[in-house]
Amino acid sequence: MGFDEKKEEAEKSIREIEEGKQEGDDEGGKISRQMSEASPYATDQEEEDDEKSKLQLGPQYTLKEQLEKDKDDESLRRWKEQLLGSVDLNNVGETLEPDVKIFSLSIISPGRSDIVLPIPEDGKPKGIWFTLKEGSKYKLKFSFQVSNNIVSGLKYTNTVWKTGIKVDSSKEMIGTFSPQIEPYTHIMHEETTPSGMFSRGSYTARSKFLDDDNKCYLEINYGFDIRKEWAST
């Protein structure tokens, strides 16, 4: 959900398309809307390129195996104990693959109540998921639980389109987390929505939570609006 106000070329293209829509007939407007709605699902080539370029990681170990590994190295043992914290190894079992469940997502903005975003099971919210005010500052906040094993290099990626044109792509590293019953809470860096006539309107986006192995724990494809004012509550 980040934006780069310096993308002049993208904004110019959007402006040309929107001006063309005003001069065209209703059918032309319908085609443009269909392009916008379909755009998040038409960029698989970019993800394939990321898949090819990702690092080849070493073999995985269960938590018990990781504690046994290099147990004679005092510094490594202390680091592992610090990372694992109060993990109950008896309840973790021998599972190699970590599991991450995203419990809640919300948008926080100064002087306003949090916008709580319901997460549908299919990862495709119906209609407009949320509305942001132009030129406003906001942060994305979420809570999640890690189970089975350590999740390494958990990250959040987000790609945004307007009128079929990609206007922003961002990635933020969240970190490495050990399994625990209590959920973790993370707040992203502050962002500012773009402002101006050509920034207002409807957008489509795709957000993902992935780890170092590019295992995706949650993918959400959604639409949102930027308007002059916040949506009435």
Side-chain angles (χ1 to χ4, degrees):
M1 298 175 193
F3 299 92
D4 187 346
E5 295 187 40
K6 297 181 180 179
K7 294 183 174 62
E8 297 180 357
E9 293 182 2
E11 291 181 356
K12 180 179 179 182
S13 299
I14 293 169
R15 184 159 52 248
E16 291 173 351
I17 290 175
E18 293 188 346
E19 289 173 351
K21 285 168 64 180
Q22 293 174 0
E23 297 174 359
D25 56 18
D26 292 341
E27 186 64 26
K30 184 185 295 184
I31 293 173
S32 295
R33 286 192 296 274
Q34 289 173 346
M35 285 176 59
S36 178
E37 292 173 358
S39 56
Y41 310 99
T43 57
D44 292 334
Q45 183 61 45
E46 296 176 9
E47 295 179 2
E48 289 177 6
D49 292 341
D50 289 341
E51 184 74 18
K52 292 176 182 178
S53 62
K54 74 175 183 178
L55 294 174
Q56 296 297 318
L57 303 178
Q60 282 186 302
Y61 298 93
T62 65
L63 283 181
K64 291 181 179 180
E65 289 172 339
Q66 291 195 52
L67 285 176
E68 288 296 320
K69 189 173 179 291
D70 304 316
K71 64 181 180 180
D72 295 330
D73 189 315
E74 183 68 15
S75 61
L76 274 177
R77 183 183 63 80
R78 290 180 179 177
W79 176 81
K80 291 176 183 178
E81 289 177 353
Q82 182 179 4
L83 178 63
L84 293 174
S86 57
V87 173
D88 185 355
L89 294 178
N90 293 323
N91 292 329
V92 170
E94 300 291 338
T95 306
L96 281 174
E97 293 290 335
D99 188 38
V100 178
K101 286 184 170 59
I102 310 298
F103 287 142
S104 66
L105 285 169
S106 57
I107 296 172
I108 55 179
S109 184
R112 291 189 56 82
S113 300
D114 293 358
I115 302 175
V116 179
L117 305 175
I119 306 174
E121 291 185 3
D122 63 358
K124 297 179 181 179
K126 304 297 183 182
I128 299 300
W129 203 23
F130 58 88
T131 298
L132 298 174
K133 178 183 177 181
E134 63 174 338
S136 61
K137 297 183 182 299
Y138 70 96
K139 297 178 182 178
L140 178 65
K141 175 183 177 181
F142 60 92
S143 63
F144 62 98
Q145 184 184 54
V146 178
S147 57
N148 296 339
N149 206 340
I150 295 172
V151 59
S152 178
L154 186 65
K155 59 182 175 287
Y156 168 84
T157 66
N158 189 63
T159 307
V160 181
W161 295 264
K162 188 181 185 197
T163 332
I165 297 173
K166 185 167 72 172
V167 295
D168 187 76
S169 182
S170 61
K171 180 187 297 184
E172 181 168 332
M173 181 60 65
I174 301 170
T176 295
F177 301 89
S178 63
Q180 66 177 35
I181 297 176
E182 298 79 13
Y184 294 95
T185 298
H186 183 82
I187 299 178
M188 301 288 194
H189 291 108
E190 186 175 78
E191 301 279 355
T192 302
T193 58
S195 58
M197 181 176 65
F198 294 107
S199 296
R200 296 192 290 269
S202 297
Y203 293 77
T204 52
R206 173 190 287 157
S207 296
K208 289 184 177 183
F209 292 86
L210 311 101
D211 63 15
D212 271 347
D213 290 319
N214 269 3
K215 178 182 178 180
C216 183
Y217 297 101
L218 177 65
E219 176 179 330
I220 306 178
N221 296 282
Y222 59 95
F224 68 98
D225 284 348
I226 293 181
R227 301 297 180 191
K228 281 188 175 182
E229 299 296 336
W230 294 98
S232 57
T233 55

